Amino acid sequence: MALSEVSPSPLSHDTVSRWLKSRCFRPKDLWRLVEPSIGHLEKPKPSLILLIKLSEAGLLS
């Protein structure tokens, strides 16, 4: 699916790519710009992911 098909405004992948390359964005600066546009989306619930080696958990001999 193309960006222009799912975006409420007339955007294309090339337009977004050129805009992103036009300056150096830090993640928090970029988030401040886009968050108002996507803030209405469902926010994920907090979660915790644990990664344990099988051998350390005693599940692998």
Side-chain angles (χ1 to χ4, degrees):
M1 196 176 283
L3 178 60
S4 59
E5 294 175 41
V6 296
S7 174
S9 58
L11 290 175
S12 70
H13 181 269
D14 291 339
T15 302
V16 173
S17 294
R18 281 192 297 272
W19 177 71
L20 289 170
K21 289 179 183 178
S22 70
R23 59 180 272 217
C24 183
F25 290 100
R26 294 189 340 232
K28 70 178 184 177
D29 297 329
L30 187 56
W31 178 247
R32 285 184 192 141
L33 292 170
V34 300
E35 196 271 335
S37 299
I38 61 172
H40 65 281
L41 300 177
E42 183 179 328
K43 302 211 186 303
K45 295 178 180 164
S47 59
L48 176 64
I49 298 174
L50 294 175
L51 300 175
I52 301 173
K53 290 183 183 177
L54 293 175
S55 60
E56 290 176 4
L59 300 174
L60 192 65
S61 53

